Amino acid sequence: PGGSNSNAARPFPWHVFLLALSVVVFIDVVRLEIKSVSIKTPLFDKYKSLRGTTTTKIKNAFQINNNKTLYIPPSLNAANQRRLSIDHGDGKCEWTPPTYNVPENIDFHKTIITGFPSGDKRMIFVQMEALTGWPAKDEWDFEFLGTSNHPFIKANYPHHEGIWGWGGVADQSIIMIRNIRRSMVEYHDILWDIGYAKTWEDASLNLENLYSGAPPIEDFFAWRDWRVMEECHWYGWFIDYWMEGGLMRDMFTHKITTPEHWNMLMMPTVYTLAELDYDLVVGDDEVTPSYDPHCNNGDVTDGCEPIAVISAEKLRDYDEGPAETARIANVLLKDSRMGKYVIDPKAWDCIWTELIVKHKGLKTVHQRPGFVEKDYNFSSEMLEEMIWQLDRLIGKYSASPWNTKDTANRIVELIVEHRSLIQTELNEVNSGVRKLSERDFLGPKERRRRLKVKEEADPDGATSSTAKKDKKDPTEYFNELERKAFREKRKARRVKRRQAQRAKKEADAML
């Protein structure tokens, strides 16, 4: 008493012991998890799997080893561990990227985002990613990298730029509608890359038998115009395919066609336009309606016909854009398997602002440096071709039985607006207000007229009849370039698949 005793028994430091035990247990959990996770991505992506997609496995491991249940706080639960855009409440939010490594054990209600080839489908799936926290995947990646559990599928099929690569994993579809004129400008960019910007300098092309050198740029413009005229028919045919649930039609006559003819149409790089002629292949025989087997055999659970129509132009519009985001979100809410991941409706307007106004997320074609959408004009011939196609669609989908469907009415509403804009442009061209240059989309008739004027001005020049006799037809040169580009695309995807397989094998070997 009265002093300290250094030899007195001290209490056991339980708090230190428990802290050390917790660290050991945590390390053991991580070790068990690494062994149990099935890695589908390179090793540096392993943390994404550990970030909350397998907490159930950890829990089960503890029940077996310790006969106890490990408590997983809700904030660490797998269902909550998505990089969902943050809802700050009161309509405020913060965009964050989705979780790119998708667990295979989640039952999603999956959506195809289809539309005529352009960069605008990316705008739509970026909205879906921000609204839900889950990523999209391209049809070609499904084809060449394999099936995965991605809930959103970007598709150009049945256009020749697309492929049905996702098998039977989709549940529903939506269709993106964009102004046909703007779609043709963007398709020109595809042709430019194929025919001039890159391949003009590609010394590896073995086309000596077709041409001793690259044809002049004027020949490319003529070929491009011809291809874009064709694509105007593909534009309307594409909409018909999805709206009619995969009904097989010829894209040039829009008549119902046979499976044999359809299969030929699906290989435009194999057959010439003459070989695909409807009268030649099908003739006058009565044709029994046939449907694409993908749509007829249940490869899309709810059928190929889209449940919603999304406007690319309106999504970018500062007045109407937020309503388009809400339209996309409501599509995802239709089924609870996807709806439970959608951010609170109060944050939808904020999501639109984050993506469209602040340009968060993946870059779209409209954020490309130097991009100006009104770089080109069209001749009256080409504008009239577009108007003819739009008139056909308006007449079809505004009549019975289509006019009772919300999707058909939306298509008509959008296309009527597009037609008005194109009609205004046609009036400007015909009146001379809008001037055309050689680089514009002149069309065959206008190019022939201009060529004739040049011949009359310089009878002995490069455009004379004598010079033209010695000139080779460049059409096959560009057609072969297009076929080569298609083959190279498939080859590149196969290389990418092999690289992914090697990375997975190396990651598995390191475990």
Side-chain angles (χ1 to χ4, degrees):
S4 62
N5 188 351
S6 60
N7 295 323
R10 299 190 180 190
F12 186 79
W14 286 103
H15 62 289
V16 176
F17 172 76
L18 291 174
L19 177 62
L21 181 62
S22 298
V23 172
V24 172
V25 168
F26 176 76
I27 293 172
D28 189 53
V29 168
V30 173
R31 181 181 58 79
L32 287 171
E33 175 63 359
I34 291 175
K35 287 185 176 181
S36 66
V37 172
S38 175
I39 301 298
K40 296 185 180 297
T41 53
L43 191 61
F44 58 82
D45 275 338
K46 192 187 301 293
Y47 78 94
K48 295 179 180 178
S49 295
L50 293 175
R51 194 177 173 270
T53 59
T54 50
T55 50
T56 302
K57 290 183 181 179
I58 300 175
K59 177 178 177 180
N60 291 340
F62 264 80
Q63 286 175 332
I64 293 171
N65 296 338
N66 303 334
N67 198 29
K68 293 182 180 180
T69 298
L70 174 67
Y71 172 68
I72 308 272
S75 62
L76 298 178
N77 189 274
N80 298 311
Q81 280 292 296
R82 299 171 296 108
R83 300 190 69 180
L84 175 65
S85 296
I86 302 169
D87 179 9
H88 291 301
D90 296 325
K92 298 179 181 179
C93 72
E94 178 184 344
W95 176 87
T96 57
T99 299
Y100 292 108
N101 188 32
V102 185
E104 295 294 329
N105 60 348
I106 300 178
D107 182 19
F108 290 121
H109 189 255
K110 300 178 181 178
T111 303
I112 302 168
I113 305 141
T114 187
F116 189 85
S118 80
D120 284 325
K121 288 188 293 299
R122 170 177 284 225
M123 290 177 55
I124 295 172
F125 79 65
V126 166
Q127 297 271 330
M128 290 182 170
E129 290 181 339
L131 288 165
T132 66
W134 295 111
K137 186 175 178 178
D138 183 84
E139 60 194 337
W140 287 93
D141 287 336
F142 271 100
E143 174 71 12
F144 289 105
L145 299 182
T147 301
S148 60
N149 201 29
H150 286 66
F152 311 125
I153 303 163
K154 172 180 168 287
N156 291 324
Y157 183 91
H159 190 276
H160 52 82
E161 292 289 333
I163 187 170
W164 191 292
W166 60 90
V169 302
D171 296 298
Q172 64 182 8
S173 74
I174 64 171
I175 187 168
M176 181 274 295
I177 299 293
R178 194 186 187 203
N179 188 318
I180 186 174
R181 182 209 187 280
R182 294 174 179 174
S183 295
M184 293 305 111
V185 170
E186 191 164 343
Y187 189 71
H188 154 268
D189 292 341
I190 296 173
L191 295 179
W192 178 267
D193 285 344
I194 290 173
Y196 196 84
K198 297 176 182 176
T199 53
W200 234 248
E201 300 174 358
D202 189 349
S204 66
L205 287 177
N206 186 23
L207 297 175
E208 291 85 354
N209 294 331
L210 292 175
Y211 229 88
S212 58
I217 188 71
E218 292 78 10
D219 288 345
F220 167 75
F221 289 143
W223 174 79
R224 174 207 66 180
D225 290 358
W226 169 70
R227 288 291 290 109
V228 169
M229 289 278 279
E230 281 189 350
E231 288 300 314
C232 288
H233 290 275
W234 283 77
Y235 177 91
W237 169 85
F238 188 97
I239 292 173
D240 286 339
Y241 169 87
W242 286 100
M243 288 297 291
E244 294 180 315
L247 180 63
M248 295 181 178
R249 288 187 180 274
D250 172 42
M251 69 278 299
F252 300 109
T253 64
H254 300 288
K255 295 178 180 178
I256 295 174
T257 193
T258 62
E260 293 76 19
H261 187 219
W262 169 267
N263 290 333
M264 294 173 66
L265 293 169
M266 291 296 97
M267 297 184 288
T269 59
V270 176
Y271 298 97
T272 65
L273 190 60
E275 291 171 329
L276 294 173
D277 182 75
Y278 186 89
D279 292 334
L280 176 66
V281 180
V282 180
D284 297 328
D285 295 340
E286 184 177 350
V287 178
T288 302
S290 299
Y291 289 83
D292 186 334
H294 290 301
C295 298
N296 214 25
N297 297 338
D299 284 354
V300 183
T301 307
D302 300 337
C304 285
E305 185 177 345
I307 66 166
V309 177
I310 306 299
S311 167
E313 284 82 10
K314 291 188 183 298
L315 188 57
R316 290 193 301 273
D317 185 269
Y318 276 36
D319 293 323
E320 300 182 86
E324 213 65 19
T325 293
R327 190 183 297 270
I328 294 169
N330 282 317
V331 166
L332 304 178
L333 285 174
K334 287 183 180 293
D335 189 287
S336 62
R337 287 173 292 171
M338 200 71 240
K340 63 185 177 181
Y341 298 110
V342 177
I343 200 168
D344 188 274
K346 292 180 181 178
W348 292 354
D349 285 4
C350 179
I351 292 294
W352 176 86
T353 300
E354 289 280 279
L355 296 174
I356 303 298
V357 179
K358 297 182 179 179
H359 304 303
K360 301 280 186 75
L362 292 174
K363 299 301 181 186
T364 67
V365 64
H366 302 281
Q367 296 163 11
R368 192 171 58 200
F371 176 81
V372 179
E373 194 163 49
K374 296 181 179 179
D375 278 344
Y376 305 96
N377 292 313
F378 288 82
S379 69
S380 58
E381 176 188 10
M382 301 195 76
L383 293 172
E384 287 167 357
E385 188 73 26
M386 296 179 199
I387 289 175
W388 182 91
Q389 191 64 235
L390 298 185
D391 283 342
R392 184 189 72 81
L393 292 168
I394 292 168
K396 176 174 181 173
Y397 292 108
S398 62
S400 178
W402 289 105
N403 56 8
T404 61
K405 294 191 173 188
D406 290 340
T407 49
N409 292 334
R410 185 96 203 282
I411 285 177
V412 172
E413 170 198 335
L414 297 174
I415 290 180
V416 165
E417 292 180 9
H418 301 166
R419 191 201 184 286
S420 177
L421 294 172
I422 295 172
Q423 183 64 57
T424 299
E425 182 173 348
L426 177 59
N427 295 341
E428 292 174 352
V429 171
N430 288 336
S431 66
V433 172
R434 192 179 286 251
K435 305 296 182 182
L436 302 177
S437 72
E438 292 295 325
R439 288 179 171 266
D440 285 330
F441 293 84
L442 300 180
K445 291 181 182 178
E446 178 63 17
R447 288 203 181 273
R448 282 197 298 268
R449 186 193 68 77
R450 293 188 175 214
L451 184 61
K452 185 177 180 180
V453 171
K454 286 183 179 180
E455 289 176 358
E456 293 173 349
D458 185 10
D460 299 321
T463 61
S464 66
S465 56
T466 303
K468 285 191 290 186
K469 285 181 180 178
D470 299 328
K471 183 179 178 180
K472 295 180 181 179
D473 181 4
T475 303
E476 185 53 31
Y477 178 92
F478 294 111
N479 288 343
E480 177 57 27
L481 285 178
E482 192 169 19
R483 289 190 288 267
K484 179 179 175 63
F486 182 79
R487 294 193 297 268
E488 289 298 320
K489 177 187 285 189
R490 299 181 70 94
K491 180 181 177 181
R493 298 287 182 173
R494 286 194 292 270
V495 170
K496 191 174 180 181
R497 177 177 59 183
R498 288 195 292 269
Q499 290 173 340
Q501 290 172 340
R502 281 199 301 270
K504 179 182 182 302
K505 186 176 180 180
E506 292 170 3
D508 290 341
M510 296 176 67
L511 296 178

